[in-house]
Amino acid sequence: KPLKKEDIPQEVFDLYDDYAHNKIDRRGFVQRLGLYAAGSVTVGSLLSFMQPNYRNTQMVAADDQDIDSDFIMYNSPKGGGEMRGLLSMPKDAQGKLPGIVVVHENRGLNPYIEDVGRRAAKEGFISLAPDALWPLGGYPGNDDDGRTMQRKRDREEMLQDFIAAFDYLKNHEKCSGKIGVVGFCFGGYISNMMAVRVPELAAAVPYYGRQPSAEDAAKVKAPLLLQ
């Protein structure tokens, strides 16, 4: 029978959290997962249960009739060079729109973050969700390989890729120039650092992620909503 959440010890969720945030590698994760496998609860069934189900959790379809959502290319001279991102905005919007840079976790532009970008468009924003893995070929289609790929990129260069996304929105004909950033995990770090590096940032909304130093934090001008 299919596993249910109540069938799984809390320690398994804690273990997955360590793996998702690069505290242990995949081999260590699978080995330790074996400690909780018994009877019909196999390592394979635990792995399957713990993997995110993006298809069933999508809130805004890629072909939603209320928005225009397409991949675009933009320049990041100090980062990855030519970058790819998902640009989303309300269809037939009147006037200029506030912008949001949407920053993914430590695994590239997966379907969840694409969905966040489309949700922002449904709320009246023009959003750009870049893929920091693009210089390496782009999000590979699964989070495990995405984590491995992202560890190969330089953190400062990736920060510059997202600052370049801010610049792209600032110069977009549909954008009012009032631009914020939202990010998750690694993206929370990027959101914090964009608040340090981009004085004209309108707002930063990090969902956890590494904080800037006290010296850098003193440079922040933007309002912050910290999760």
Side-chain angles (χ1 to χ4, degrees):
K1 63 178 181 179
L3 284 180
K4 297 180 180 179
K5 184 176 180 181
E6 53 267 27
D7 298 329
I8 301 175
Q10 178 60 42
E11 290 82 2
V12 172
F13 293 99
D14 295 339
L15 190 61
Y16 180 78
D17 186 67
D18 286 345
Y19 169 57
H21 295 96
N22 289 331
K23 295 179 182 178
I24 57 174
D25 62 17
R26 180 174 175 80
R27 175 177 292 183
F29 171 58
V30 173
Q31 287 177 342
R32 293 169 63 180
L33 206 57
L35 299 174
Y36 301 94
S40 62
V41 181
T42 64
V43 170
S45 63
L46 287 171
L47 279 171
S48 178
F49 183 88
M50 300 304 293
Q51 297 302 314
N53 187 335
Y54 293 127
R55 178 174 297 180
N56 291 345
T57 55
Q58 178 180 267
M59 296 180 67
V60 181
D63 61 352
D64 188 286
Q65 297 301 303
D66 295 332
I67 64 172
D68 287 321
S69 185
D70 294 291
F71 288 99
I72 57 98
M73 303 300 298
Y74 69 95
N75 292 322
S76 177
K78 298 179 182 178
E82 188 175 53
M83 291 296 299
R84 185 176 188 254
L86 183 67
L87 184 70
S88 305
M89 67 187 82
K91 188 169 288 184
D92 302 324
Q94 301 298 314
K96 293 184 180 291
L97 305 169
I100 301 178
V101 178
V102 180
V103 189
H104 58 69
E105 299 149 294
N106 63 341
R107 59 211 70 169
L109 182 58
N110 62 24
Y112 164 64
I113 300 299
E114 291 181 16
D115 190 51
V116 173
R118 293 192 296 268
R119 291 183 219 172
K122 290 279 281 189
E123 296 297 326
F125 294 89
I126 176 171
S127 72
L128 179 55
D131 184 1
L133 300 185
W134 184 248
L136 303 177
Y139 176 69
N142 69 84
D143 287 3
D144 284 346
D145 291 338
R147 288 187 194 95
T148 300
M149 289 174 66
Q150 190 156 320
R151 286 196 291 269
K152 297 177 181 178
R153 287 218 59 202
D154 178 79
R155 184 181 291 265
E156 174 63 25
E157 287 189 357
M158 288 190 286
L159 172 58
Q160 293 298 332
D161 291 335
F162 291 99
I163 292 175
F166 172 91
D167 293 335
Y168 176 90
L169 286 178
K170 183 174 67 174
N171 294 310
H172 195 283
E173 62 180 3
K174 291 288 188 179
C175 186
S176 67
K178 187 175 184 180
I179 303 161
V181 59
V182 60
F184 307 86
C185 192
F186 162 79
Y189 160 78
I190 293 293
S191 299
N192 285 325
M193 291 309 297
M194 285 182 63
V196 172
R197 302 281 189 92
V198 185
E200 63 267 45
L201 191 71
V205 184
Y207 283 81
Y208 41 101
R210 185 181 300 179
Q211 294 81 41
S213 67
E215 181 182 3
D216 277 340
K219 302 172 186 177
V220 174
K221 306 292 186 186
L224 309 175
L225 179 59
L226 307 174
Q227 323 298 323

